[in-house]
Amino acid sequence: MGLFAFMKSRPIFWLSVTGTAVGIACFVKDLMQGGKFDKPNRADGKVIIVTGSNTGIGKETVRELAKRGAKVYMACRDMKKCEEARQEIVLETRNKYIYCRKCDLASMDSIHKFVDEFKKEQSHLDILINNAGVMRCPRSITTDGFEMQLGVNHLGHFLLTNLLLDSLKKSAPSRIVVVSSLAHTRGEINVADLNSENSYDEGKAYNQSKLANVLFTRELAKRLQGTGVTVNALHPGVVDTELFRHMSFFNSFFASLVFRPLVWPFLKTPKFGAQTTLYAALDEDLHNVSGQYFSDCALKDVAPAAKDDALAKWLWAVSEKWTKLK
């Protein structure tokens, strides 16, 4: 009986239960962090652009690239947050070659200006990481009239990538990394209403934009064959970042009190969310790998819709027209 005497004391009993629950939650949290890119690959001298890099996965990607000696351009919309993140990373890594540059993916004019300025400063580009994104936001449009999730997640990166292809080709072997999502498996390209003008569902629009990322990656890989430039897409995992800011169940008082503690063990930290991005950008085993999709630092299959070559070509043609590349 002495062994269980502590159960007679309610405070001690509930303290024990709480401690056990926290321990289990931490154990599950560790298990859910997924694959880790732990190779010592350096990036000295490499010029790298990371979009949406003032917070979350992008910020952690820049931090690790800075530790490995890269020269990184943080392409962000919010310059104040970008500069704060840059200063933090420079102080931690002692790498002074980290730069903040304005690039609003919801504005084609801003993208053109970013590329023009970048090319004046750098003659080559080794890695482009298309990381920025918005998720499940209320219906809104970009400055050019596109539904925000399609405009930022797909069209903005489509334009940015194509404007930088000459620099990437001159720097070959070089890489393009596209941060997509498992949500692409639930996506459908609405050919009749791609811009969600007739109806809008924030979840469907997000899934469509992530499917567009994978279709873009696969089509671009075909167009880049023989150039020395590779492009791959990835799912970073379900990561605890500001990307959830438009989802009410993550932001309400009830959520902060009840829901978030319940899902916390199953969310990756931004540091671990960046691991597959680093893998796709730096792993030497992917030197000639292109048009693929990764998750947890491993090759994964894509949804059947993402393998539709005719759809990929149609989306490319529409994207070219809408971004005025042709």
Side-chain angles (χ1 to χ4, degrees):
M1 293 295 292
L3 183 63
F4 298 100
F6 76 93
M7 296 182 68
K8 295 179 181 180
S9 172
R10 286 183 178 274
I12 294 177
F13 171 74
W14 286 113
L15 185 62
S16 177
V17 169
T18 301
T20 301
V22 170
I24 292 174
C26 291
F27 176 72
V28 173
K29 183 80 169 178
D30 287 340
L31 289 178
M32 296 303 294
Q33 296 310 297
K36 189 176 189 303
F37 181 64
D38 52 11
K39 293 185 178 180
N41 303 49
R42 297 288 300 174
D44 299 288
K46 289 186 180 296
V47 178
I48 303 175
I49 293 173
V50 185
T51 66
S53 48
N54 61 296
T55 187
I57 296 171
K59 180 179 176 181
E60 293 306 316
T61 299
V62 174
R63 190 192 308 277
E64 188 60 34
L65 291 172
K67 289 179 181 178
R68 294 169 185 254
K71 181 180 292 185
V72 186
Y73 280 76
M74 302 173 69
C76 300
R77 178 178 58 86
D78 189 324
M79 285 293 93
K80 181 176 183 296
K81 288 184 178 180
C82 184
E83 184 57 33
E84 289 172 353
R86 187 197 73 83
Q87 290 181 17
E88 176 188 323
I89 291 169
V90 169
L91 286 172
E92 178 185 337
T93 65
R94 297 293 188 264
N95 182 346
K96 65 180 181 179
Y97 300 109
I98 311 299
Y99 309 104
C100 284
R101 296 294 182 268
K102 175 81 171 181
C103 184
D104 183 355
L105 290 166
S107 165
M108 289 195 291
D109 182 59
S110 178
I111 295 169
H112 277 281
K113 287 180 178 177
F114 168 80
V115 172
D116 289 344
E117 291 176 7
F118 173 80
K119 288 182 177 180
K120 290 176 183 177
E121 296 179 31
Q122 296 295 332
S123 59
H124 71 285
L125 173 61
D126 297 286
I127 303 171
L128 169 62
I129 299 178
N130 291 332
N131 166 80
V134 291
M135 184 173 78
R136 292 176 173 266
C137 57
R139 168 73 181 178
S140 57
I141 60 173
T142 68
T143 57
D144 304 289
F146 304 120
E147 184 276 312
M148 187 63 69
Q149 297 184 87
L150 179 72
V152 171
N153 298 351
H154 169 60
L155 291 170
H157 282 128
F158 178 90
L159 176 60
L160 177 67
T161 302
N162 275 282
L163 293 176
L164 290 168
L165 281 182
D166 56 345
S167 297
L168 287 158
K169 289 176 181 178
K170 285 191 296 184
S171 311
S174 53
R175 300 186 186 190
I176 303 166
V177 178
V178 180
V179 179
S180 180
S181 168
L182 184 63
H184 89 273
T185 61
R186 301 186 296 275
E188 179 181 351
I189 301 298
N190 190 341
V191 175
D193 189 25
L194 182 64
N195 201 34
S196 303
E197 294 174 340
N198 298 327
S199 63
Y200 179 72
D201 178 279
E202 63 269 19
K204 289 182 179 179
Y206 177 72
N207 297 342
Q208 174 180 249
S209 73
K210 294 290 101 178
L211 175 57
N213 287 158
V214 183
L215 288 166
F216 165 61
T217 298
R218 291 170 62 84
E219 177 64 20
L220 180 58
K222 294 177 182 178
R223 293 169 180 255
L224 290 175
Q225 286 181 0
T227 65
V229 184
T230 62
V231 53
N232 292 293
L234 64 93
H235 169 55
V238 183
V239 187
D240 192 3
T241 69
E242 290 184 7
L243 195 63
F244 290 112
R245 63 185 176 274
H246 295 297
M247 301 179 74
S248 59
F249 62 83
F250 267 87
N251 296 316
S252 68
F253 174 76
F254 175 78
S256 62
L257 193 66
V258 178
F259 188 74
R260 182 170 282 276
L262 290 176
V263 300
W264 177 83
F266 304 98
L267 298 176
K268 285 186 178 183
T269 63
K271 178 180 179 179
F272 279 92
Q275 296 304 304
T276 306
T277 298
L278 295 166
Y279 167 74
L282 300 176
D283 196 297
E284 66 274 9
D285 292 339
L286 302 183
H287 179 67
N288 292 313
V289 176
S290 193
Q292 301 302 314
Y293 174 80
F294 300 93
S295 179
D296 283 331
C297 300
L299 181 66
K300 302 291 182 182
D301 200 10
V302 294
K307 299 177 182 178
D308 189 332
D309 292 340
L311 182 61
K313 286 181 171 58
W314 177 87
L315 180 64
W316 185 283
V318 172
S319 301
E320 272 188 332
K321 180 179 179 181
W322 286 5
T323 58
K324 300 179 181 178
L325 280 172
K326 281 192 177 180

